[in-house]
Amino acid sequence: MSDIDLICELLADAKVFNETDSGLKRYICAKCPKDGFEAQVSRVEKNDTTKKSVEKAAFYCPICNNEFVVSAKDMYFG
């Protein structure tokens, strides 16, 4: 399974990290469009509270204080 497929699967299950067999947690990250710094998920939105899937994941850049949203193809594990 590719990382993008795994990220989509995790977001569908309302999760923002993947835990490896050794216990290492790999968090979903994205590059800030303003400065290119790595950012982690800061908030998730769900339109339907009866389902666990995430509709939108927002990222927060600690360098420039920018909150942004990217598509799944621009997300990766940090």
Side-chain angles (χ1 to χ4, degrees):
M1 176 181 294
S2 72
D3 278 356
I4 293 174
D5 291 336
L6 182 55
I7 287 170
C8 290
E9 187 176 294
L10 289 171
L11 291 175
D13 289 338
K15 297 178 182 175
V16 296
F17 67 87
N18 176 41
E19 191 165 350
T20 64
D21 293 336
S22 64
L24 176 69
K25 289 183 180 175
R26 299 184 324 150
Y27 286 86
I28 298 172
C29 296
K31 297 274 185 206
C32 176
K34 286 188 176 180
D35 61 18
F37 193 81
E38 182 175 275
Q40 291 185 352
V41 174
S42 61
R43 127 183 106 80
V44 294
E45 292 181 11
K46 300 188 294 184
N47 287 338
D48 185 351
T49 57
T50 63
K51 296 182 181 177
K52 292 176 72 174
S53 65
V54 171
E55 296 295 324
K56 180 168 65 171
F59 296 83
Y60 174 76
C61 178
I63 301 301
C64 68
N65 297 319
N66 181 36
E67 186 173 76
F68 59 95
V69 176
V70 297
S71 67
K73 70 177 179 60
D74 294 322
M75 297 177 193
Y76 60 91
F77 289 109

